Amino acid sequence: MSAAIKQYAVPDVLVSTEWVAQHLSDPQVRIVEVDYEPETAYRLGHVPNAVLIDWKRDINDTVRRDIVSKEGFEKLMSRLGIAPETTVVLYGDFRNWFAAYAFWVFKIYGHEDVRLMNGGRRKWIDEGREVTEEVPSVQPTSYRCRGIDLGLRAFLPEVTYAYQRDDVKLVDVRSPAEFKGEITAPPEYPTEAAQRGGHIPGAVNVPWAQAVADDDTFKPVEELRQLYESKGVTPDKTVITYCRIGERSSHTWFVLKYLLGYPTVINYDGSWSEWGNTVGLPIEKGE
């Protein structure tokens, strides 16, 4: 484990690209690429022996707006050759947004040893490391979840109650333009916009990208602590993160819960696409 990773509150959830390179053939480790656009990422070249999670089809319910069911998660793990004791290392496109979302789902369904590759797909490629188009052959398992932790997930009724409380801090991780209501979706996602622009009343804006360096690795712990505490996001509060559909907020959820060690951090995956489209809920615009 590198010195940079050891500084974090829970360092075991993060591995370097070098660590991954040394464990490509480790039978106890399953490398998993999580992509929003696998056609332009995984299928054009991926980490050797890495299997694929298609974010839209595998880790989300394809019929209703929800994460994959417990039964669906078990089937996915079985297909990917993952056992409950397997060390799973996730990485992906879009600067690890969707890998962080998958990490959150893995934790909801009780997988104990799941980690992120620091820097994601981009760092692996920028370092000139080996990639392949070959899809590995894996031995299926009979995966069974060890438990479900819904305390990691915020639902709309909880947020409508929590945003008015002094002991709760809502963190909007979208861009400033989204937060202020100037746009309802980032340019790379022109669809799935909300009817109204703005933010949940009382939320603070800490864009997710402020937590990463230019090479997409996470910033040092002291920089992260200063970033969030300067906005009143402190470990004595219950913190609820949100964005537009839950993937960027999963990234910030990971930072606060595992890198800074905040005791109560919850991801609201309904996020602005739910809040901004729900009749009767208040919003704020501007700073």
Side-chain angles (χ1 to χ4, degrees), residues 89-106:
V89 177
L90 305 168
Y91 77 96
D93 59 1
F94 283 87
R95 308 182 73 182
N96 262 352
W97 289 358
F98 299 98
Y101 183 101
F103 182 103
W104 171 69
V105 173
F106 269 73

Side-chain angles (χ1 to χ4, degrees), residues 149 219 226 233-234:
D149 187 0
K219 289 181 177 178
Q226 172 61 26
V233 185
T234 51

Side-chain angles (χ1 to χ4, degrees), residues 67 69-70 73-74 77 82-86 88 102-114 143-152 253 258:
I67 64 172
S69 67
K70 171 182 175 289
F73 183 79
E74 291 174 337
M77 296 300 99
I82 295 171
E85 62 273 11
T86 301
V88 176
F103 182 103
W104 171 69
V105 173
F106 269 73
K107 285 302 184 183
I108 286 175
Y109 288 126
H111 194 88
E112 184 174 347
D113 192 357
V114 57
Y143 190 98
R144 291 294 179 268
C145 293
R146 291 176 169 172
I148 300 178
D149 187 0
L150 290 179
L152 303 178
W253 169 86
Y258 291 99

Side-chain angles (χ1 to χ4, degrees):
M1 184 181 296
S2 69
I5 290 177
K6 286 181 180 179
Q7 66 185 309
Y8 298 120
V10 188
D12 290 345
V13 297
L14 203 59
V15 296
S16 66
T17 52
E18 179 62 28
W19 188 96
V20 173
Q22 294 171 354
H23 290 80
L24 293 179
S25 300
D26 188 335
Q28 304 304 316
V29 175
R30 177 71 68 215
I31 311 299
V32 182
E33 179 162 320
V34 186
D35 288 336
Y36 182 78
E37 296 179 342
E39 294 78 10
T40 58
Y42 182 85
R43 295 188 176 95
L44 296 181
H46 49 267
V47 173
N49 288 330
V51 295
L52 171 68
I53 286 179
D54 183 324
W55 181 82
K56 288 172 282 190
R57 298 180 180 181
D58 291 333
I59 209 75
N60 283 282
D61 192 298
T62 57
V63 177
R64 65 180 186 177
R65 173 73 191 278
D66 206 347
I67 64 172
V68 65
S69 67
K70 171 182 175 289
E71 293 75 19
F73 183 79
E74 291 174 337
K75 289 179 181 178
L76 176 64
M77 296 300 99
S78 299
R79 173 167 62 82
L80 297 179
I82 295 171
E85 62 273 11
T86 301
T87 295
V88 176
V89 177
L90 305 168
Y91 77 96
D93 59 1
F94 283 87
R95 308 182 73 182
N96 262 352
W97 289 358
F98 299 98
Y101 183 101
F103 182 103
W104 171 69
V105 173
F106 269 73
K107 285 302 184 183
I108 286 175
Y109 288 126
H111 194 88
E112 184 174 347
D113 192 357
V114 57
R115 315 177 188 192
L116 284 185
M117 183 174 78
N118 202 15
R121 176 183 171 85
R122 175 188 168 193
K123 184 171 176 59
W124 182 273
I125 292 175
D126 285 351
E127 291 174 344
R129 297 185 183 275
E130 180 185 0
V131 296
T132 181
E133 296 180 22
E134 181 179 352
V135 177
S137 176
V138 300
Q139 181 67 36
T141 62
S142 297
Y143 190 98
R144 291 294 179 268
C145 293
R146 291 176 169 172
I148 300 178
D149 187 0
L150 290 179
L152 303 178
R153 188 183 190 191
F155 294 92
L156 182 62
E158 178 182 358
V159 182
T160 59
Y161 170 74
Y163 85 92
Q164 304 176 73
R165 294 177 58 93
D166 292 336
D167 58 345
V168 177
K169 182 65 71 172
L170 272 78
V171 181
D172 186 319
V173 314
R174 298 173 299 162
S175 68
E178 290 172 271
F179 182 80
K180 290 184 285 188
E182 298 170 352
I183 59 176
T184 56
E188 60 266 41
Y189 294 114
T191 60
E192 299 181 14
Q195 292 293 314
R196 304 173 296 166
H199 57 268
I200 299 174
V204 295
N205 186 211
V206 188
W208 72 275
Q210 293 182 6
V212 295
D214 292 340
D215 65 353
D216 289 355
T217 58
F218 292 102
K219 289 181 177 178
V221 67
E222 289 305 323
E223 289 186 36
L224 293 175
R225 186 173 290 114
Q226 172 61 26
L227 170 65
Y228 293 102
E229 290 188 357
S230 68
K231 296 294 184 71
V233 185
T234 51
D236 60 311
K237 294 182 173 65
T238 293
V239 180
I240 299 176
T241 61
Y242 77 92
C243 56
R244 188 179 60 92
I245 58 173
E247 86 295 21
R248 288 175 287 174
S249 56
S250 299
H251 191 278
T252 297
W253 169 86
F254 177 87
V255 171
L256 291 170
K257 184 171 181 63
Y258 291 99
L259 304 190
L260 290 180
Y262 281 32
T264 309
V265 190
I266 312 169
N267 186 34
Y268 172 36
D269 59 307
S271 286
W272 193 251
S273 64
E274 180 176 52
W275 189 279
N277 280 321
T278 301
V279 174
L281 289 183
I283 66 169
E284 288 182 347
K285 290 180 176 284
E287 299 288 349

